[in-house]
Amino acid sequence: MVASVIEGVALTGLVACVPEGRETVEDLAARFGEDAARRIAKATGIEARHLVPPHQCTSDLGEAAARRLLDRLGWAADSVDLLVMVTQTHDHILPASGYLLHRRLGLGKGAAVLDLTLGCSGYVHGLWTASAMLKAAGGRRALLVAGDTTSRVIDPDDRAVAPLFGDAATATALEAAEAGAEATPPMVFALGSDGAGAPYLAVPGGGLRRPGEPAHLFMDGTQVFAFTLREVPGNIRTVLERAGWAMETVDRLVLHQANAQMIRHLAQKLGATPAQTVVGLAGFGNTSSASIPLALASELGGALHGGALRLLLSGFGVGWSWGSVALTAGPLAVCEVITLPASSAESAGPDAQPAKGAGERANLAECPAKIADP
């Protein structure tokens, strides 16, 4: 297990972006039947999900979130030293989506870019990676963009997964403290992996190994639940111990938002009260790497804007991979959820033009089926 303490880096802002289109329980009832749709909603706590139209990609949602964040913080694009992009639904096999965002946001040539192909554990891994890189390189500002458009890799008639997953992307601002500044509370991380879980949550087709097969998500829910109960509680207890926190001193426990019953079961196992436990997936579903920051923005936006909270975040899923972090965040300059209209079709190609300013919208065009020449 990787366990580390990162000091002197603060989370200063957060924007989540969801697509305009929504699918509700009533929509599912038309496909799967009224009784089945209601049973699924009761079992998962998911009442609706936001889904991208065919011409939008993860980078479009991430760009909209990042633009809003830069604008609200007043950060010039060329003041960003690092961009970390976390997604498992890339626009293309290559180039990596982070480089598309680098150009479209107008970041400077001195900014480092790194993509992490992770899902439900990705936000915590991304926080760790971005914070550690910022400290190691002596940088000042980092953007962490995390999100997925999982609906693009789902068979809409597969009732095992289609009712569960929604689309979203988030942008988080991280800033290193200047010399002589007031001490920033440390972030305490613990991360783990077990590649034996790879077959149980996967998109086997559509890649280079099986190019002729449909790119459809497969999930063995029984194995996912067993893995979660086996690994996550101990991981969270490790973080609490290393941070010197007791569960009763945590303001909010924010677990990966996959299933309301599973969240409550884990929280009870850890000794967290319902008031401490954030459950914010009813209107969004499982948004993969975006689920934790989306829950922060949708459920705790006002509290984080107004003051500081002790947060315990934990993500877990594909791989198997898992990670938890104890951190104090707030007051944040911005913590909100925005919507990207279905009419927006932001160009994700390598030839897309960079932004002229932090708050300016990009030219809008359909995601290309082929990569254009740079």
Side-chain angles (χ1 to χ4, degrees), residues 117-317:
T117 303
L118 280 169
C120 306
S121 67
Y123 187 67
V124 174
H125 280 76
L127 275 179
W128 175 68
T129 302
S131 300
M133 289 181 68
L134 202 59
K135 287 290 290 184
R140 176 79 189 284
R141 290 172 170 172
L143 281 179
L144 168 61
V145 176
D148 283 290
T149 48
T150 309
S151 69
R152 301 290 295 274
V153 293
I154 283 179
D155 179 351
D157 295 321
D158 184 351
R159 70 177 62 197
V161 293
L164 308 181
F165 289 89
D167 301 330
T170 63
T172 301
L174 298 169
E175 195 161 16
E178 295 181 315
E182 183 179 347
T184 301
M187 291 187 278
V188 181
F189 292 88
L191 312 173
S193 308
D194 180 3
Y200 303 115
L201 187 54
V203 180
L208 300 184
R209 177 74 64 182
R210 303 180 185 177
E213 296 183 13
H216 287 160
L217 177 68
F218 166 77
M219 181 175 69
D220 186 326
T222 300
Q223 291 288 345
V224 172
F225 191 72
F227 144 70
T228 301
L229 294 183
R230 182 173 65 248
E231 301 292 352
V232 175
N235 179 253
I236 291 175
R237 292 188 185 106
T238 296
V239 165
L240 286 171
E241 181 179 352
R242 290 182 63 86
W245 292 7
M247 180 56 75
E248 55 266 27
T249 69
V250 174
D251 291 314
R252 294 293 187 273
L253 171 67
V254 188
L255 304 173
H256 166 53
Q257 304 286 297
N259 179 299
Q261 288 190 10
M262 183 169 69
I263 291 170
R264 294 187 179 104
H265 183 81
L266 282 172
Q268 185 178 28
K269 193 176 181 70
L270 290 163
T273 67
Q276 289 174 293
T277 307
V278 173
V279 181
L281 75 167
F284 303 108
N286 181 343
T287 55
S288 189
S289 61
S291 82
I292 290 174
L294 177 57
L296 290 173
S298 65
E299 305 304 309
L300 301 178
L304 286 169
H305 182 70
L309 293 178
R310 274 188 165 194
L311 302 173
L312 206 162
L313 315 179
S314 184
F316 38 87

Side-chain angles (χ1 to χ4, degrees), residues 324-352:
S324 302
V325 57
L327 74 157
T328 301
L332 303 184
V334 55
C335 190
E336 63 183 4
V337 181
I338 63 172
T339 300
L340 183 65
S343 58
S344 297
E346 309 201 18
S347 174
D351 56 345

Side-chain angles (χ1 to χ4, degrees), residues 57-59 87-91 97 117 147-153:
C57 300
T58 304
S59 67
T87 186
Q88 55 191 8
T89 52
H90 297 278
D91 294 35
S97 298
T117 303
D148 283 290
T149 48
T150 309
S151 69
R152 301 290 295 274
V153 293

Side-chain angles (χ1 to χ4, degrees), residues 73 83 104 148 364:
L73 292 175
L83 170 63
R104 289 159 64 184
D148 283 290
L364 305 181

